[in-house]
Amino acid sequence: MVESNSSRSSTDRSAPEPIAVDVARAVVTDSLRGIPLDATHVTVSKTVVPPHGSTGWHYHVGPVLVLVAEGTLTHTFADGSTDTVGAGSCFVEPHGPENAHVGVNPAAVPLVLHAVYFLPDATSPLAVPVPAPN
């Protein structure tokens, strides 16, 4: 079938092709268990933590898939344990007040994180601030 120019649809071959741009890539360093398959509210964000800056103590109301695009992230958890994750890695942050943590950028360059938040509803905050543990 031959189409005339006047009857071409939005899938016309002369229309511009969609453009996909990689924002960041990473290797999964942890299991992705804990990501709900039935999530209905998802938010994607980019966070830039300045040199020697901090996220402040907080927890998430749903699990968060985090990709470290640039820099190094040092996590400290309420139990005093820490872990360090470098650029090109991704992991899942668990949710709930029992998983309070702080993210610190120990370097003299910005830390860039991309995160996918799996939220229980449309009004859920991305993070809930909490005081630092004693």
Side-chain angles (χ1 to χ4, degrees):
M1 178 173 133
V2 177
E3 294 180 343
S4 70
N5 285 341
S6 62
S7 65
R8 288 189 177 168
S9 69
S10 62
T11 59
D12 184 333
R13 292 186 191 265
S14 65
E17 293 291 321
I19 299 171
V21 177
D22 284 351
V23 175
R25 288 183 178 237
V27 175
V28 177
T29 58
D30 236 346
S31 169
L32 296 182
R33 280 179 266 164
I35 298 294
L37 297 177
D38 61 348
T40 58
H41 294 84
V42 176
T43 297
V44 178
S45 74
K46 175 182 177 182
T47 300
V48 179
V49 181
H52 307 292
S54 163
T55 63
W57 280 91
H58 65 280
Y59 69 88
H60 303 286
V61 296
V64 183
L65 175 63
V66 180
L67 185 150
V68 181
E70 299 174 30
T72 301
L73 169 67
T74 299
H75 266 132
T76 300
F77 302 94
D79 66 2
S81 65
T82 63
D83 70 356
T84 300
V85 184
S89 296
C90 70
F91 58 93
V92 175
E93 284 188 338
H95 62 289
E98 66 279 10
N99 292 302
H101 59 278
V102 63
V104 174
N105 176 2
V109 296
L111 166 64
V112 179
L113 307 171
H114 298 283
V116 180
Y117 297 81
F118 296 88
L119 303 171
D121 62 58
T123 61
S124 298
L126 299 183
V128 178
V130 296
N134 293 330

